[in-house]
Amino acid sequence: MSTPQPLSWPHCGHGADPASDPVGCLGIHVPGHTACLAHLAEADRDTYLASLAAGADIDHRGTPFAGDLLERLLDALRDPTTLKVGLGKGRFDRAEFSGRTVFEGARFSGPAGFDGARFTRIARFEGVQFSHPAAFRAAEFSGVAVFDGAQFSSRAEFDRARFRTRAEFGGARFAGTAAFGDAAFSGDADFGGARFARDAEFEGAQFSGKAGFGGAQFSGKAGFGMARFATASLFGPLICKNVVELWGAVFEAPVTLEIAARDVWCTRTRWESTAIVRLRYATIDLGQAVLSAPVAITAYPGRFATPGISVVDESLLSGFHRGVRVASVQGVDAAHLVLTDTDLTDCLFSGAFHLDQLRLEGRTIFASVPTGRHWLGIRLSRWTHRRTLAEEHHWRAQTAGQAVPPPGHAFSLRQWRPGPHHPDPDLTPDPEDITAVYRQLRKAFEDGKNEPGAADFYYGECEMRRHSGSTPKGERHLLRWYWLLSGYGLRASRAFSWLLTAMSLTVLLLMSFGLPTHDPDPATTGTLHGSRISLSTNTPDPALQGGWSQRMTWARTEKAFRVAVNSVVFRSSGQNLTTAGTYIEMTSRLFGPTLLALGALAIRGRIKR
């Protein structure tokens, strides 16, 4: 048996029974009396009520309000001119409202306290104005709680409040912080069109029915950390100028979330069924989220709309970029994740599972290499455009400018410009980790029949293998030559440039050393043996004679060009060559077709679907 909380006020004690109820009535004494308002003698009650006027401070903590007692009290506080109920400081902590509870249109010019109050039937607070903090901590609403259009000019506290049926806050205005931490909504909760000028805290709240936030506006933070949504099928659309916190939240049923906000934190969020998350303007963090069923994150192209409202006002986010960015999927089982029209420029993938099953739909943006031309020491260089991962940028930023590579890293031939750095430099992944991410995402692109996208990630995979200290030295050298000659079989311009260079060098060498000055004339000799003659024809070895002026002629250039072209297509030209020319042709027939094949492979990788 729990021990009752001690009272901080002198209480009535009516109906106390040493055996069953030693405390009795908890109502505070009416000033000048030893009983609460409910148990005060009728004549004394009338006298007390007659002494009240609009704007008076009242204190009826613990008082049971039954029948028309509350109505009589509020009538005594009604302004005869405006007919509006006006209260100064109103204290109703642990009061029990078993009758009709109607504060509709009342104004509290001082603090309002309803901590621990119990409302057995409908509680109506429509249009109530709270000029100072309003506290409903641990209040219990057994009937419908109606706060439509209520105005809270200061802090509104509903922590641990219990709403047994429906809770209506449609169009309510919260100028101060709104705290609903650990509140329990057993029925539907309607905050449609509510306005929160500062932070709204719903941490640990339990939504057993609908969670209606359609058209709600949050100028500060919207905190739903550790909240639980049992049957909600729609969350939003809501607008938040700051961050929507859904860390640790649990969605038990299929749900659609519609959020326009600067940031959405879904770290450790659990989706136990399918979900569609439609976002605008937002950067979403999915780190360590648990996906038990398919979850789609999509950039919503148009403005959100709610039933009865044509479009939701997004003026809080005017001036911000409408695109949707993903900050992290670390620790996520990506087999259930679909990303549509998202910006993955700064997304962290390392630590995610089943990235090869990640589905990327629509227009997906990845980080790119530095653009333009850059000085690298004494060289002017540029990087060919390709999709990259943020982790590669972080690793290159960490190693940029180091004369000696860090342990486990290979020395880089080229350095990128510094930045951006990893949010936590100590967690910057190694090339081995980035290689695995590139490999899995490459497979995801291949399964999606996006060969050009897969090619970029194959390039990144090879880059990280080339820079990784765990890659055998011989393999690193092989990858370096593969990169230098053709960009890992993906840079056609590089392969064809080398091919043109090789052909030009072949032509020059053939003209200089490979073509004879004159084609040798065959000589036939014979021997007479009686009536029989033996003939033999000998062709002298091609000889190179004369000076450079005789070698560098247009005729010899044409012959050398034909030899070079034939060697590229792996055919013999049939041209007489010197011994040096024969070896030059053999070398050209080895490298020429290889470079041609690498160029063709690069073209195929860019156009294949």
Side-chain angles (χ1 to χ4, degrees):
M1 182 176 179
S2 61
T3 303
Q5 295 182 3
L7 299 176
S8 60
W9 60 83
H11 64 285
C12 175
H14 182 271
D17 185 343
S20 60
D21 185 7
V23 178
C25 176
L26 304 181
I28 190 172
H29 293 168
V30 173
H33 301 277
T34 58
C36 69
L37 182 62
H39 299 111
L40 196 63
E42 188 65 30
D44 293 334
R45 183 186 298 122
D46 291 341
T47 302
Y48 168 72
L49 294 177
S51 67
L52 299 178
D57 294 339
I58 58 173
D59 186 353
H60 292 291
R61 288 173 286 177
T63 301
F65 288 89
D68 63 349
L69 182 59
L70 178 62
E71 185 177 356
R72 293 175 60 188
L73 173 63
L74 296 181
D75 283 340
L77 297 169
R78 194 179 303 276
D79 189 316
T81 303
T82 63
L83 300 182
K84 297 290 186 180
V85 176
L87 300 88
K89 179 188 295 183
R91 306 195 64 178
F92 294 91
D93 304 333
R94 298 181 68 175
E96 295 189 10
F97 299 88
S98 57
R100 188 164 176 263
T101 306
V102 181
F103 283 87
E104 184 176 1
R107 178 190 294 271
F108 288 82
S109 57
F114 289 85
D115 291 339
R118 291 188 176 186
F119 301 85
T120 305
R121 299 174 61 185
I122 186 171
R124 303 186 61 174
F125 288 84
E126 299 107 313
V128 174
Q129 299 182 31
F130 298 92
S131 301
H132 287 77
F136 289 81
R137 293 180 292 254
E140 184 173 328
F141 298 84
S142 299
V144 179
V146 184
F147 286 84
D148 292 334
Q151 298 184 26
F152 299 85
S153 299
S154 187
R155 183 177 178 87
E157 302 182 63
F158 288 84
D159 300 292
R160 304 183 309 282
R162 297 293 180 265
F163 299 88
R164 302 297 181 187
T165 56
R166 192 168 69 252
E168 300 179 2
F169 287 84
R173 301 292 187 268
F174 298 85
T177 300
F180 288 82
D182 295 318
F185 298 87
S186 300
D188 294 344
D190 180 15
F191 287 85
R195 300 290 186 270
F196 299 85
R198 299 184 64 181
D199 294 346
E201 302 169 358
F202 290 84
E203 281 82 359
Q206 307 286 322
F207 296 89
S208 300
K210 296 180 180 178
F213 287 87
Q217 304 269 342
F218 298 83
S219 297
K221 176 189 71 175
F224 293 89
M226 301 301 292
R228 179 176 290 271
F229 301 84
T231 62
S233 60
L234 177 63
F235 180 78
L238 61 84
I239 311 299
C240 182
K241 188 177 182 180
N242 203 319
V243 57
V244 176
E245 296 182 354
L246 290 169
W247 50 266
V250 179
F251 294 89
E252 300 179 7
V255 63
T256 298
L257 293 84
E258 296 183 339
I259 301 172
R262 291 181 60 185
D263 295 285
V264 179
W265 294 350
C266 291
T267 52
R268 302 187 182 277
T269 302
R270 179 186 297 272
W271 281 281
E272 297 183 353
S273 188
T274 57
I276 299 175
V277 184
R278 296 171 179 160
L279 301 174
R280 287 173 59 79
Y281 301 95
T283 297
I284 183 171
D285 187 343
L286 294 167
Q288 313 302 323
V290 179
L291 314 182
S292 301
V295 174
I297 311 296
T298 180
Y300 196 69
R303 295 172 64 181
F304 293 125
T306 59
I309 302 177
S310 57
V311 291
V312 177
D313 181 16
E314 297 181 351
S315 58
L316 286 177
L317 296 168
S318 60
F320 294 105
H321 178 60
R322 294 192 182 98
V324 174
R325 297 158 296 281
V326 180
S328 172
V329 295
Q330 292 180 306
V332 175
D333 186 349
H336 292 304
L337 184 60
V338 181
L339 302 177
T340 304
D341 294 330
T342 53
D343 186 342
L344 305 179
T345 299
D346 299 313
C347 183
L348 301 179
F349 289 92
S350 56
F353 306 100
H354 299 130
L355 280 174
D356 57 322
Q357 300 179 45
L358 172 67
R359 291 186 58 186
L360 301 173
E361 307 287 348
R363 183 173 182 266
T364 302
I365 302 174
F366 283 90
S368 181
V369 298
T371 58
R373 298 182 179 273
H374 306 270
W375 284 101
L376 298 177
I378 60 174
R379 295 179 296 119
L380 184 63
S381 179
R382 66 178 296 272
W383 290 278
T384 306
H385 173 77
R386 66 178 172 93
R387 300 177 181 90
T388 61
L389 297 179
E391 281 93 342
E392 181 177 352
H393 282 265
H394 298 157
W395 173 76
R396 290 184 182 272
Q398 186 183 61
T399 59
Q402 296 183 7
V404 179
H409 296 196
F411 191 82
S412 175
L413 285 178
R414 303 189 304 171
Q415 298 292 345
W416 289 4
R417 63 186 179 189
H421 289 269
H422 193 282
D424 185 348
D426 293 335
L427 298 180
T428 302
D430 292 330
E432 295 89 342
D433 301 323
I434 306 175
T435 298
V437 176
Y438 269 123
R439 183 179 299 117
Q440 294 184 72
L441 288 176
R442 171 174 60 85
K443 186 177 183 301
F445 273 94
E446 290 173 346
D447 293 343
K449 305 302 180 182
N450 185 350
E451 293 295 336
D456 282 342
F457 284 88
Y458 175 71
Y459 192 104
E461 177 187 347
C462 291
E463 273 286 279
M464 291 298 98
R465 287 173 56 199
R466 180 165 69 92
H467 292 303
S468 173
S470 63
T471 303
K473 187 175 182 180
E475 184 178 339
R476 288 206 306 271
H477 285 304
L478 182 62
L479 286 168
R480 182 166 295 176
W481 280 107
Y482 191 25
W483 162 76
L484 185 63
L485 292 177
S486 65
Y488 308 113
L490 297 172
R491 299 293 182 259
S493 59
R494 191 178 306 178
F496 287 131
S497 295
W498 280 112
L499 176 60
L500 181 61
T501 301
M503 291 179 64
S504 300
L505 182 61
T506 300
V507 169
L508 180 62
L509 291 175
L510 287 174
M511 293 173 62
S512 301
F513 308 104
L515 293 176
T517 306
H518 301 285
D519 290 335
D521 296 325
T524 302
T525 60
T527 304
L528 180 61
H529 300 281
S531 62
R532 183 168 56 88
I533 299 176
S534 297
L535 299 175
S536 62
T537 301
N538 295 318
T539 302
D541 291 334
L544 184 62
Q545 300 175 352
W548 289 101
S549 61
Q550 295 179 335
R551 301 180 188 184
M552 301 299 170
T553 63
W554 283 111
R556 290 172 61 83
T557 300
E558 191 271 338
K559 290 181 180 180
F561 180 74
R562 279 192 284 114
V563 173
V565 171
N566 280 304
S567 65
V568 169
V569 296
F570 216 71
R571 292 178 55 189
S572 176
S573 64
Q575 173 68 44
N576 290 321
L577 300 173
T578 64
T579 302
T582 301
Y583 283 106
I584 292 172
E585 183 187 35
M586 290 171 58
T587 303
S588 179
R589 293 178 67 182
L590 174 63
F591 287 102
T594 301
L595 293 172
L596 180 63
L598 289 174
L601 179 65
I603 294 176
R604 179 180 179 273
R606 286 301 175 185
I607 64 176
K608 182 181 177 183
R609 288 292 186 272

